[in-house]
Amino acid sequence: MSDAGQPSPNGADNPAAAGGNEHLNIKVTDGNNEVFFKIKRSTKLEKLMKAFCERQGKDPRSARFLFEGQKVQGQDTPEILEMQDGDSIEVHQEQIGGGA
């Protein structure tokens, strides 16, 4: 009889558990500087990329962001890349030109 007051008979009792796991702490480093961001799993990484470039005075067009050796696109999210709390994104200066 004590179960009569249970809400959400549609099986939606899991979002509370997932909700506590909604944010990730991601480290972005260019080898000299480390910046930590707390973002949602569903946030597009372009937001993090722009913020890092603004803080470090870098041109976003010449910065290349890599996660586990793979280029990060602005429309990617931590969820798409299967990132975990504490993961790192590396930033490299894109090489332009090469002389001849």
Side-chain angles (χ1 to χ4, degrees), residues 22-84:
E22 180 71 15
H23 288 88
L24 296 174
N25 291 300
I26 303 297
K27 179 173 79 172
V28 181
T29 180
D30 63 3
N32 299 317
N33 305 296
E34 292 181 347
V35 181
F36 292 84
F37 293 91
K38 186 173 184 175
I39 60 171
K40 290 184 178 180
R41 293 181 180 275
S42 58
T43 299
K44 289 184 180 179
L45 290 173
E46 70 180 337
K47 194 171 179 181
L48 174 148
M49 294 157 71
K50 285 181 183 176
F52 181 84
C53 288
E54 284 176 14
R55 288 186 190 183
Q56 301 302 319
K58 293 184 182 293
D59 182 353
R61 294 170 294 180
S62 66
R64 175 181 289 226
F65 292 79
L66 300 174
F67 173 63
E68 295 182 343
Q70 197 171 355
K71 188 170 180 180
V72 175
Q73 303 295 329
Q75 67 272 11
D76 288 337
T77 66
E79 195 169 45
I80 290 170
L81 298 178
E82 299 181 359
M83 296 177 87
Q84 303 295 317

